[in-house]
């Protein structure tokens, strides 16, 4: 359980913030499902992809949405060539072959969808497929991972306690300034001085969250801005394009964001 992680050359870059890599691997070794909580764009999906590569596991990712049903996950009968054939959904494929099934923003799915996860998240680790009469037993290498953004929920989009308590949970947040600067530099090739300015700017913009903004500026958006700057775009224009405009449609709010941006990168 305390064995060192196995780095792979193909693993997407991820800068650890604490002991999350060791916790994830321990959960996989003990066949425990994992719930990852954190704001949009803080690195949840990148972390799962990184860990799948480091552990040498296949990764099937499902981006959940309002219309996602249990059948979308498990599978359905389809008509083709004059006959009806069964087609596995992504969850069923992951259970059959082993590996990680990652449900991104699971609270966006329909309420009945999470019920099919319950038999996979206790000691049974099974997936009953009612339409075919099969009961699949998850292999040792199978792992269920779900994520959501607690700050973006409302009363109709929460995980039931009976579902939450089936997972071990990890809380993510935006990285420290030092770590975020390393991420920005690694992902974009931007020089250290400008990367530091971007991270400082992010801290200023994040203080507006909950007042003028529904969402904070994400590390992902910082990387977008850094890539534009690294390509030769003027910093102020890059930040307007990658930070201010994506964060708000309100002209007054965009103007306020630009005023803050210009404190770091004059127009």
């Amino acid at each position: 359980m305390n064995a060192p992680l196995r780095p792979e050359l193909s693993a997407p870059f991820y800068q650890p913030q604490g002991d999350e890599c060791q916790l994830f691997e321990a959960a996989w070794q003990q066949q425990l499902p994992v719930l990852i909580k954190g704001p949009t764009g803080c690195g949840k999906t990148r972390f799962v992809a990184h860990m799948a590569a480091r552990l040498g596991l296949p990764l099937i990712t499902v981006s959940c949405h309002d219309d996602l049903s249990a059948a979308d996950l498990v599978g359905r009968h389809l008509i083709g060539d004059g006959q009806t054939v069964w087609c596995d959904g992504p969850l069923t494929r992951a259970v059959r072959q082993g590996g990680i099934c990652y449900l991104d923003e699971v609270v966006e799915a329909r309420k009945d969808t999470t019920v099919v996860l319950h038999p996979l998240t206790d000691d049974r680790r099974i997936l009953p497929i009612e339409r075919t009469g099969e009961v699949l037993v998850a292999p040792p290498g199978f792992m269920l991972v779900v994520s959501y953004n607690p700050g973006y929920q409302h009363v109709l989009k929460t995980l039931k306690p009976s579902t939450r308590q089936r997972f071990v949970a990890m809380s993510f947040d935006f990285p420290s300034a030092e770590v975020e600067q390393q991420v920005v530099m690694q992902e974009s090739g931007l020089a250290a001085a400008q990367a530091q300015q971007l991270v400082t700017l992010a801290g200023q913009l994040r203080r507006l969250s909950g007042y003028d903004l529904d969402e904070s500026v994400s590390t992902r958006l910082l990387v977008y801005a850094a890539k534009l700057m690294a390509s030769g775009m003027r910093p102020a224009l890059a930040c307007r394009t990658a930070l201010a405009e994506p964060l708000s449609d309100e002209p007054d709010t965009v103007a306020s964001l630009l005023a803050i941006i210009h404190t770091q990168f004059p127009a």
Side-chain angles (χ1 to χ4, degrees):
M1 182 170 172
N2 295 320
L5 292 172
R6 299 175 294 280
E8 300 288 344
L9 294 177
S10 60
F13 173 76
Y14 176 78
Q15 182 65 45
Q17 301 179 51
D19 53 8
E20 66 269 29
C21 294
Q22 288 72 26
L23 290 171
F24 189 96
E25 185 174 25
W28 173 70
Q29 290 175 339
Q30 297 300 319
Q31 300 181 11
L32 301 175
V34 170
L35 166 65
I36 302 175
K37 304 180 289 183
T40 300
C42 71
K44 301 187 296 295
T45 299
R46 173 62 67 93
F47 169 69
V48 176
H50 175 82
M51 292 305 302
R54 289 181 68 159
L55 293 171
L57 299 172
L59 173 63
I60 295 179
T61 298
V62 179
S63 297
C64 298
H65 53 81
D66 289 341
D67 293 326
L68 186 74
S69 67
D72 292 324
L73 288 180
V74 176
R76 52 171 52 89
H77 284 101
L78 301 176
I79 299 176
D81 296 328
Q83 60 182 348
T84 301
V85 295
W86 172 258
C87 182
D88 283 343
L91 180 62
T92 303
R93 292 200 307 272
V95 173
R96 287 194 196 276
Q97 72 183 46
I100 297 173
C101 184
Y102 173 48
L103 306 183
D104 186 23
E105 296 296 343
V106 67
V107 295
E108 297 294 335
R110 283 166 41 173
K111 282 294 183 183
D112 62 338
T113 304
T114 55
V115 176
V116 304
L117 305 179
H118 287 186
L120 283 169
T121 54
D122 56 31
D123 57 357
R124 293 173 293 172
R125 283 173 56 88
I126 61 173
L127 178 63
I129 305 177
E130 293 182 4
R131 296 186 181 184
T132 65
E134 291 180 273
V135 177
L136 301 182
V137 179
F142 171 78
M143 184 180 194
L144 180 64
V145 181
V146 303
S147 72
Y148 72 100
N149 176 3
Y152 196 63
Q153 295 182 70
H154 54 73
V155 68
L156 298 178
K157 289 190 176 181
T158 60
L159 279 182
K160 293 180 179 179
S162 60
T163 298
R164 273 204 314 271
Q165 293 184 31
R166 292 173 176 270
F167 293 83
V168 295
M170 304 168 63
S171 290
F172 276 45
D173 204 344
F174 297 117
S176 67
E178 294 77 12
V179 170
E180 194 162 43
Q181 181 178 338
Q182 292 178 26
V183 171
V184 169
M185 293 168 60
Q186 174 71 29
E187 292 291 293
S188 67
L190 193 66
Q194 286 190 315
Q196 185 178 37
Q197 285 179 284
L198 269 179
V199 171
T200 300
L201 174 61
Q204 295 172 326
L205 295 177
R206 284 168 186 159
R207 286 194 283 272
L208 297 176
S209 179
Y211 295 92
D212 297 320
L213 299 175
D214 293 329
E215 288 278 353
S216 297
V217 58
S218 66
T219 302
R220 180 190 300 126
L221 288 182
L222 283 189
V223 171
Y224 289 173
K227 287 183 175 181
L228 292 175
M229 291 166 61
S231 74
M233 183 178 289
R234 288 187 296 108
L237 179 57
C239 290
R240 174 171 190 149
T241 303
L243 302 182
E245 296 291 353
L247 286 173
S248 179
D249 295 326
E250 296 295 328
D252 289 345
T253 301
V254 172
S256 298
L257 295 174
L258 289 175
I260 296 173
I261 288 170
H262 292 159
T263 65
Q264 291 293 327
F265 302 106

